[in-house]
């Protein structure tokens, strides 16, 4: 009987019934409390709108709360030493096949990209199983200088390694369909050579032990097409980033354990730090174009959720490996950069609204897509809820209570719903903040884990400070995301700029430009509520405070020195800072040796010391390397005439006269590049006839 009960608890359907029942019961209970407040005298249209908004929002909060609660229980019952990364390297996954480490890049810092890949490769070598992996840098970079630097970094690494066949680089002529198109091109060109591919982002880091274990799990489970390993944010030093790293590390492990419980074999794909069965991916994950124009039509931007759904539709399993560590990423260093990244993701997630009811998807995948939409729609819904609550409070303040009716000598007191409203508020706040308490309880019962966060006392203080900052950040992010959603609904298309990855401080001008409207809104809303609805004003102060202090908080938390000071005090400490993982040490070592070291300016020409793209035109070594990587072309007279015009412009006006796109055109076509290279070197005065401009300070 016990065995049957245990099997039932492991059944994915049973787990989902438990989870969604808890979520629905909690939602109905909270709604009943609020509806009880409104029932006196009937529910007005405004009250009905508030009730519906609260139902949607409390459903979202309940799902998050029960995910954390279940994850907390699972982690309490889990043996700390049972995880594969705690035990050491997994067994060799076998011979006869190789796994591709695939990193798509787009205008990223080449030094950081290749330092990260070298660190991953070194970590693999320390496991003794590096021969089972080959590395691909799949570049969609458009910037001509970054393109050439990528080539120089790649070639330097390949030469130093002594095994150039293990490291491959290519730059696509056209970056059609962005990252999903980049991976699709890899599958078409090289997918048949590999059983698995491990997809990395430009800032991804994964330990060799974890990579080997991922392959071993795929080998043991031939019905699994994808295993997602949750990445932990690391390496940023600003106060904003350190607070975010602390929260993601401490609370994230609870949420991930809960997600793994109820998602089971229908988990999601986060786009990177995951292993994929290439044959299944190539057969089922071709993405269609949605009908209509952007932002809701055209290419699917947030492809990862959709690819997971397509794999499940084909009968493959998708897992979330919540017990695997050794998976890392880097996050934006400032509140403004974080919001910019959100703007980039917002359009792709809202686009999923068109796919929620797409044919043949499994129910849980539809839930994933809906949750992706809700992750951004929650902000405008909260904003609308606050506005309607303020209007309702103002209307209530206009009602003059009547205490005496007809012949009654005793007053008839109005019914008070203070208790019910307070209960609704406290239930909502409890579900938002209890996961933080769960995390602290986990540290208390796991002293070794607690030590990695600075000890229970410092961790508790860090949680309190993080909660305070979260309260200040929340209204700012609410307005940012509401603005993003509004602009997308108005069909304003966003590009796909690279993420800001290095630490930097937010200047006063930038802060005022980003948050000036927030401050003015706080002043205006505060004055209106204080004058017309003073009782509502005091409930509204946390929101007003976050908006009013947006400029100084954004600037202060973007700085490195508060982050360093808090670390020295043991605040916001993470396990990766307490005991640095080997792969992070390897990254630090590799970042110390990031010079191109190849194709140095040996000709004596001052021109070669200019922009990197010009080195590929004029430096024989850089030219030979770049030209060898260009694809074969079909002769085209129109293109040739255009190239000749650019060559004349370069000769007559210098490299500074060319735009970035024109420089890329010159670098993209082998025939024009060869003609230009020979022309410059055959000039009577040599290649210095055309001077490259000196590099501008960054």
């Amino acid at each position: 009987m016990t065995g049957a009960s245990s099997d039932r608890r492991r059944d994915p359907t049973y787990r989902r019934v438990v989870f969604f029942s808890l979520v629905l019961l909690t939602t109905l209970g909270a709604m009943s409390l609020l509806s009880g407040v409104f029932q006196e005298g009937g529910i007005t249209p405004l009250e009905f709108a508030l009730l519906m908004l609260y139902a949607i929002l409390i459903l979202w909060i309940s799902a998050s709360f029960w995910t954390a609660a279940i994850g907390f229980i699972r982690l309490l019952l889990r043996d700390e030493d049972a995880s594969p990364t705690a035990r050491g390297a997994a067994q060799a996954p076998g011979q006869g096949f190789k796994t591709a480490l695939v990193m798509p890049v787009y205008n990223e810092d080449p030094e950081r990209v290749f330092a990260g890949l070298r660190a991953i490769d070194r970590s693999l070598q320390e496991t003794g199983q590096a021969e089972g992996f080959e590395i691909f840098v799949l570049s969609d970079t458009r910037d001509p200088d970054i393109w050439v630097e990528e080539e120089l970094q790649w070639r330097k690494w390949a030469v130093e390694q002594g095994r150039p066949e293990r490291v491959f680089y290519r730059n696509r002529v056209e970056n059609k369909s962005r990252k999903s198109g980049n991976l699709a091109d890899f599958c078409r060109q090289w997918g048949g050579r590999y059983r698995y591919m491990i997809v990395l982002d430009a800032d991804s880091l994964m330990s060799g032990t974890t990579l080997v274990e991922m392959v071993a799990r795929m080998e043991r489970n031939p019905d699994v097409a994808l295993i997602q390993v949750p990445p932990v944010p690391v390496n940023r030093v600003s106060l904003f980033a350190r607070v975010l790293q602390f929260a993601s590390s401490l609370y994230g492990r609870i949420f991930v354990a809960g997600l793994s419980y109820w998602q089971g074999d229908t988990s999601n794909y986060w786009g990177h730090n995951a292993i994929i069965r290439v044959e299944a991916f190539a057969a089922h994950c071709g993405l269609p174009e949605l009908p209509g124009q952007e932002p809701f039509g055209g290419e699917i931007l947030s492809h990862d959720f959709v690819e997971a759904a397509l794999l499940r539709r084909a009968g493959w399993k998708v897992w979330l490996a919540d017990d695997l560590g050794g998976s890392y990423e880097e996050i934006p260093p400032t509140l403004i950069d974080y919001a910019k990244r959100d703007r980039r993701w917002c359009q792709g997630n809202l686009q999923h609204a068109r796919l929620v009811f797409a044919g043949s998807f499994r129910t849980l995948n539809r839930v994933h897509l809906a949750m992706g939409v809700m992750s951004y729609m929650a902000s405008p819904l909260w904003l609308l809820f606050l506005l309607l609550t303020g209007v309702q409070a103002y209307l209530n303040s206009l009602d003059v209570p009547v205490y005496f009716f007809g012949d009654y000598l005793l007053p008839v007191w109005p019914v008070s719903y203070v208790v019910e409203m307070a209960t609704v508020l406290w239930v909502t706040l409890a579900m938002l903040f209890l996961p933080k308490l769960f995390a602290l309880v986990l540290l208390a019962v796991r002293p070794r884990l607690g030590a990695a966060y600075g000890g229970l006392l410092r961790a508790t203080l860090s949680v309190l400070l993080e909660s305070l900052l979260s309260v200040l950040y929340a209204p700012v992010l609410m307005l940012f995301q509401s603005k993003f959603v509004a602009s997308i609904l108005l069909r304003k298309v966003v590009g796909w700029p690279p993420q800001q990855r290095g630490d930097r401080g937010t200047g006063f001008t930038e802060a005022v430009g980003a948050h000036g409207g927030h401050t003015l809104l706080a002043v205006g809303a505060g004055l209106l509520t204080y004058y017309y609805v003073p009782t509502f004003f005091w409930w509204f102060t946390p929101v007003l405070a976050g908006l009013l202090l947006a400029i100084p908080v954004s600037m202060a938390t973007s700085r490195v020195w508060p982050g360093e000071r808090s670390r020295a005090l043991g605040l916001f400490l993470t396990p990766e800072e307490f005991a640095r993982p080997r792969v992070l040490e390897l990254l630090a070592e590799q970042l110390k040796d990031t010079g191109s070291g190849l194709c140095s300016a040996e000709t004596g020409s001052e021109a070669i010391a200019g922009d990197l793209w010009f080195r590929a035109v004029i430096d024989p070594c850089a030219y030979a390397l770049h030209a060898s990587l260009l694809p074969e072309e079909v002769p085209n007279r129109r293109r040739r005439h255009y190239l000749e015009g650019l060559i004349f412009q370069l000769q007559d006006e210098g490299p500074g006269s060319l735009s970035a796109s024109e420089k890329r055109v010159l670098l993209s076509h082998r025939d024009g590049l060869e003609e230009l290279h020979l022309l410059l070197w055959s000039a009577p005065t040599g290649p210095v006839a055309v001077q490259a401009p000196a590099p501008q300070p960054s």
Side-chain angles (χ1 to χ4, degrees):
M1 188 69 180
T2 303
S5 176
S6 177
D7 290 341
R8 186 176 73 253
R9 286 195 297 269
R10 283 195 291 265
D11 178 58
T13 302
Y14 171 81
R15 291 181 170 192
R16 289 162 198 158
V17 169
V18 170
F19 173 75
F20 286 108
S21 296
L22 291 170
V23 171
L24 289 175
L25 287 173
T26 305
T27 302
L28 291 173
M31 284 182 64
S32 67
L33 287 172
L34 187 61
S35 62
V37 177
F38 292 151
Q39 282 176 359
E40 177 70 16
I43 297 179
T44 67
L46 179 57
E47 290 171 339
F48 181 77
L50 281 169
L51 187 61
M52 291 299 100
L53 281 173
Y54 184 72
I56 297 171
L57 294 169
I58 201 64
L59 181 68
W60 177 248
I61 293 171
S62 299
S64 177
F65 169 76
W66 284 113
T67 297
I70 292 171
F72 168 63
I73 295 170
R74 293 190 72 204
L75 291 179
L76 272 181
L77 300 176
R78 179 180 294 171
D79 182 359
E80 275 187 283
D81 298 321
S83 68
T85 46
R87 295 195 302 265
Q91 295 296 314
Q95 304 298 324
F97 70 92
K98 291 184 181 295
T99 298
L101 297 179
V102 178
M103 180 180 282
V105 296
Y106 176 78
N107 288 346
E108 300 286 352
D109 177 9
E111 293 183 351
R112 171 59 182 84
V113 165
F114 283 91
L117 286 172
R118 289 197 300 268
I120 294 171
D121 189 45
R122 285 278 302 279
S123 183
L124 270 172
Q125 291 173 19
E126 292 177 358
T127 68
Q129 299 182 44
E131 291 303 312
F133 298 83
E134 293 180 345
I135 301 170
F136 282 75
V137 181
L138 307 176
S139 174
D140 265 347
T141 293
R142 303 292 98 187
D143 185 287
D145 289 317
I146 297 176
W147 180 11
V148 173
E149 177 66 11
E150 287 173 353
E151 294 174 339
L152 296 176
Q153 289 282 347
W154 162 73
R155 188 59 187 168
K156 175 192 177 215
W157 182 24
V159 169
E160 290 176 350
Q161 190 184 62
R163 294 287 306 280
E165 68 276 8
R166 285 193 63 242
V167 184
F168 184 82
Y169 171 88
R170 74 99 172 88
N171 182 280
R172 276 204 300 171
V173 176
E174 300 291 340
N175 62 335
K176 183 180 179 183
S177 300
R178 300 177 176 85
K179 183 178 177 180
S180 60
N182 204 351
L183 290 174
D185 181 73
F186 166 81
C187 291
R188 285 191 296 267
Q189 298 291 336
W190 302 282
R193 176 179 169 86
Y194 302 98
R195 187 174 299 180
Y196 310 114
M197 63 177 176
I198 296 175
V199 181
L200 306 170
D201 258 2
D203 58 2
S204 292
L205 275 178
M206 301 193 78
S207 72
T209 301
T210 298
L211 294 172
V212 172
E213 173 64 20
M214 291 165 73
V215 175
R217 290 192 183 189
M218 294 292 275
E219 283 293 281
R220 293 194 299 266
N221 300 278
D223 56 346
V224 174
L226 189 150
I227 299 177
Q228 174 69 62
V229 182
V232 176
V234 294
N235 280 351
R236 295 277 67 86
V237 187
S238 71
L239 182 60
F240 173 82
R242 289 201 67 246
V243 170
L244 211 60
Q245 286 172 176
F246 171 80
S248 298
S249 177
L250 183 59
Y251 316 141
R253 65 178 64 239
I254 295 176
F255 282 99
V256 167
L259 286 172
S260 178
Y261 173 85
W262 63 265
Q263 291 180 356
D265 57 7
T266 311
S267 291
N268 218 342
Y269 171 39
W270 300 347
H272 58 97
N273 292 40
I275 185 169
I276 301 173
R277 197 175 297 271
V278 175
E279 182 180 2
F281 186 85
H284 303 294
C285 291
L287 298 179
E289 284 199 8
L290 298 177
Q293 297 180 342
E294 292 190 4
F296 291 105
E299 297 172 351
I300 295 175
L301 300 181
S302 292
H303 55 92
D304 38 14
F305 283 32
V306 182
E307 288 159 348
L310 292 171
L311 288 171
R312 275 308 276 142
R313 186 174 72 174
W316 291 95
K317 294 180 179 178
V318 178
W319 285 357
L320 174 61
D322 65 298
D323 62 326
L324 272 183
S327 174
Y328 310 103
E329 65 177 350
E330 295 173 352
I331 56 175
T334 72
L335 177 60
I336 294 175
D337 290 319
Y338 185 83
K340 288 178 180 177
R341 186 183 69 169
D342 255 8
R343 175 63 181 92
R344 191 178 66 170
W345 288 352
C346 182
Q347 181 177 331
N349 279 34
L350 292 185
Q351 199 181 43
H352 290 166
R354 299 191 62 176
L355 300 171
V356 171
F357 301 104
S360 305
F361 280 164
R362 293 179 180 253
T363 302
L364 199 56
N365 288 121
R366 299 185 195 280
V367 172
H368 292 326
L369 293 169
M371 291 177 75
V373 176
M374 188 59 189
S375 64
Y376 288 94
M377 286 302 300
S379 286
L381 290 178
W382 273 117
L383 179 60
L384 182 59
F385 184 79
L386 286 173
L387 291 173
L388 294 183
T389 302
V391 172
Q392 177 69 20
Y394 173 70
L395 294 177
N396 289 342
S397 71
L398 298 179
D399 291 336
V400 179
V402 178
Y403 300 103
F404 296 93
F405 297 89
D407 297 328
Y408 289 102
L409 298 176
L410 297 175
V412 179
W413 301 106
V415 179
S416 173
Y417 291 96
V418 172
V419 174
E420 289 85 347
M421 285 301 295
T423 304
V424 170
L425 176 64
W426 285 113
V427 166
T428 305
L429 291 177
M431 286 194 288
L432 288 171
F433 287 97
L434 269 178
K436 301 175 188 287
L437 181 60
F438 294 158
L440 290 176
V441 172
L442 194 63
L443 298 189
V445 300
R446 297 281 174 82
R448 190 169 66 181
L449 181 62
Y453 287 94
L456 184 59
L457 182 61
R458 287 190 178 91
T460 302
L461 181 56
S462 297
V463 167
L464 292 174
L465 293 173
E466 182 273 331
S467 300
L468 174 62
L469 286 171
S470 295
V471 169
L472 295 176
Y473 291 148
V476 176
L477 291 174
M478 177 184 69
L479 289 186
F480 269 135
Q481 291 183 348
S482 299
K483 178 182 176 182
F484 300 158
V485 170
S487 67
I488 290 168
L489 293 177
L490 293 173
R491 298 191 173 275
K492 293 182 179 179
V493 181
V494 66
W496 203 259
Q499 178 179 311
Q500 173 66 38
R501 303 193 190 275
D503 285 302
R504 70 178 189 91
T506 298
F508 179 73
T509 302
E510 182 183 12
V512 171
H515 303 299
H518 302 157
T519 304
L520 293 176
L521 181 62
V523 172
L527 290 174
L528 285 174
T529 53
Y530 185 78
Y531 183 77
Y532 290 104
V533 200
T535 54
F536 181 67
F537 171 82
W538 299 109
W539 291 98
F540 200 38
T541 49
V543 175
L544 296 176
L547 298 177
L548 193 64
L549 298 174
I551 292 174
V553 168
S554 183
M555 292 178 63
T557 58
S558 73
R559 300 295 189 264
V560 167
W561 72 263
E564 292 176 334
R565 182 60 180 162
S566 64
R567 180 175 178 178
L569 294 172
L571 298 176
F572 310 120
L573 198 65
T574 65
E576 290 72 29
E577 293 175 324
F578 177 77
R580 200 163 179 79
R582 174 61 177 158
V583 72
L584 297 186
E585 292 180 344
L586 291 171
L587 174 63
E589 292 175 9
Q590 296 301 322
L591 285 171
K592 293 176 182 177
D593 180 26
T594 56
S596 60
L598 186 71
C599 298
S600 57
E602 298 171 351
T603 64
S605 169
E606 294 179 3
I608 298 176
D611 292 347
L612 275 170
W613 80 273
F614 198 60
R615 286 182 60 186
V617 173
I618 204 169
D619 179 2
C621 176
Y623 161 75
L625 172 62
H626 181 78
S628 69
L629 295 173
L630 293 176
E632 295 290 341
E633 295 178 300
V634 177
N636 183 302
R637 287 192 302 173
R638 176 182 291 182
R639 185 183 69 239
R640 182 167 184 80
H641 285 308
Y642 180 58
L643 289 172
E644 287 177 349
L646 292 180
I647 291 172
F648 291 143
Q649 180 179 339
L650 176 66
Q651 287 181 295
D652 295 342
E653 302 176 31
S657 67
L658 299 175
S659 67
S661 60
E662 290 170 335
K663 295 172 185 177
R664 180 170 174 84
V665 168
L666 281 175
L667 292 179
S668 298
H669 301 288
R670 186 180 297 177
D671 48 359
L673 183 63
E674 179 182 12
E675 179 179 337
L676 177 59
H677 180 73
L678 294 176
L679 183 65
L680 293 177
W681 274 96
S682 62
T685 56
V688 293
V690 177
Q691 292 290 327
Q696 296 298 314
S698 58

